[in-house]
Amino acid sequence: MEQSLIDLYRAIEDSSAAMLAAASREDWDGVMHHEGTCAVLIEQLRSSAQGCRLAPELRKEKARIMRRILDNDAQIRILAEPWLASLDPLLQGRPQFVH
């Protein structure tokens, strides 16, 4: 069980890296595709991780992976800021809805 959990963390890390690569190419459709993959993997992790504790060495690996995912996320946000700013003129004057 522990190995399958860490494998899910690694798959999320890989998808996060693919999102960053897509953002670096300004491939926003690719970013959204990999974001969807991450969402599916995270849901699988949530359902699999209930009641399971990782061994100390795997907790260290999990921490390393989480730091990498957070770093990738920060870099993606930096790359996405200009793209998101370019959407502002398109959204001005339109009613905004919160879902």
Side-chain angles (χ1 to χ4, degrees), residues 48-95:
S48 298
Q50 292 179 349
C52 184
R53 288 186 49 93
L54 295 173
E57 65 276 359
L58 292 178
R59 284 198 303 266
K60 287 180 183 177
E61 176 71 2
K62 173 189 168 186
R64 183 203 61 77
I65 290 169
M66 295 301 296
R67 282 191 299 274
R68 174 91 190 279
I69 291 169
L70 290 171
D71 185 51
N72 288 347
D73 183 64
Q75 291 180 53
I76 292 165
R77 289 176 188 272
I78 290 167
L79 292 168
E81 283 178 4
W83 177 71
L84 292 171
S86 73
L87 295 178
D88 280 343
L90 299 173
L91 297 175
Q92 287 179 355
R94 291 186 173 191

Side-chain angles (χ1 to χ4, degrees), residues 2-52:
E2 286 182 332
Q3 191 58 47
S4 64
L5 286 180
I6 205 70
D7 288 343
L8 281 169
Y9 280 107
R10 288 178 181 143
I12 295 166
E13 177 185 22
D14 291 344
S15 190
S16 170
M19 278 176 45
L20 177 55
S24 296
R25 295 187 308 272
E26 296 184 8
D27 174 11
W28 306 115
D29 289 334
V31 171
M32 291 189 324
H33 168 77
H34 294 294
E35 183 178 29
T37 301
C38 275
V40 169
L41 291 167
I42 290 167
E43 192 54 41
Q44 289 174 357
L45 179 65
R46 280 188 185 133
S47 65
S48 298
Q50 292 179 349
C52 184

